[in-house]
Amino acid sequence: MEPDLQRELIPRADVLHLIHSLDHLKITFLGAAKQWQLLDAAGEVPAEPSYTELLQHAIDAQDLSRDVVRLAAKFARSPHSTTRAGRTVLAHLATAATMSSHAAPRFADTAETALSLSQAASPTARREPANSMVIDHATARAYLRRTSESLGEAAKELHAHLDFQRFLSAVAPRAIPTPPPAPSSRHR
């Protein structure tokens, strides 16, 4: 195999480890986006939204974001990030890090607004903050889903890289021509 092509390959064990990490985070983010609900079963803002529960969404989102940022930073420091596949993976990780970092503040805004709802005197005074809270919470969940998608795209790129490695290993033995037999050096 050509040296330039060899440098472009990320070792299989490293690829598999990274895919495992990406898949785990992808599922975690998607699960959080589905599980962390604001609206009740009727699709309404609860009369007394729980500040504590909404603040916990912000805390958990911050923790998840930290995990993505650390994974992106670790990959960026590795020599694998300079390969063709690595640059694409890094771009997806950068998007995931950005999206995930936007979720926590939106969840925190939701929690803060929940506190102000308890001070609203009338249903009319509650309407605008309640709408704002719904938008912030939905936006935060959208950031979690977008993070999950970016992590999935990074894993998809690594799966394609593994396929490429399999292809190369299948064609490499046939690509190297067999040298002709050495001429006989016997003199007669």
Side-chain angles (χ1 to χ4, degrees):
M1 190 175 312
E2 295 178 29
D4 287 341
L5 190 57
Q6 185 66 33
R7 279 194 297 270
E8 285 294 312
L9 298 179
I10 302 170
R12 180 178 169 77
D14 293 350
V15 172
L16 292 173
H17 178 73
L18 186 55
I19 287 173
H20 175 75
S21 298
L22 291 167
D23 286 344
H24 173 73
L25 282 171
K26 174 188 164 190
I27 291 166
T28 302
F29 271 88
L30 192 56
K34 289 178 180 177
Q35 181 183 5
W36 298 347
Q37 298 290 322
L38 170 65
L39 304 178
D40 61 20
E44 300 291 327
V45 174
E48 296 289 326
S50 171
Y51 172 76
T52 307
E53 184 179 321
L54 293 171
L55 191 60
Q56 189 62 49
H57 293 175
I59 292 167
D60 293 344
Q62 187 71 40
D63 290 344
L64 289 174
S65 179
R66 182 196 64 232
D67 293 344
V68 172
V69 171
R70 284 185 176 160
L71 181 63
K74 181 179 177 184
F75 187 75
R77 286 189 297 267
S78 78
H80 309 319
S81 68
T82 61
T83 66
R84 185 206 62 77
R87 286 186 300 272
T88 304
V89 168
L90 188 57
H92 290 302
L93 286 173
T95 299
T98 300
M99 293 294 112
S100 69
S101 68
H102 289 310
R106 289 298 187 125
F107 282 126
D109 288 343
T110 303
E112 182 181 4
T113 304
L115 281 179
S116 71
L117 281 181
S118 64
Q119 299 167 358
S122 68
T124 307
R126 288 176 50 96
R127 188 172 298 130
E128 187 177 330
N131 289 342
S132 174
M133 191 168 63
V134 169
I135 290 168
D136 283 339
H137 200 272
T139 301
R141 291 175 62 225
Y143 282 131
L144 295 178
R145 283 189 302 275
R146 182 63 181 104
T147 300
S148 178
E149 291 167 6
S150 294
L151 294 168
E153 290 299 316
K156 195 181 301 183
E157 180 66 28
L158 289 170
H159 280 290
H161 186 72
L162 286 177
D163 290 344
F164 180 65
Q165 286 182 358
R166 278 197 245 8
F167 170 76
L168 285 179
S169 67
V171 299
R174 288 181 268 151
I176 301 171
T178 307
S184 176
S185 61
R186 282 194 251 159
H187 296 283
R188 294 185 189 179

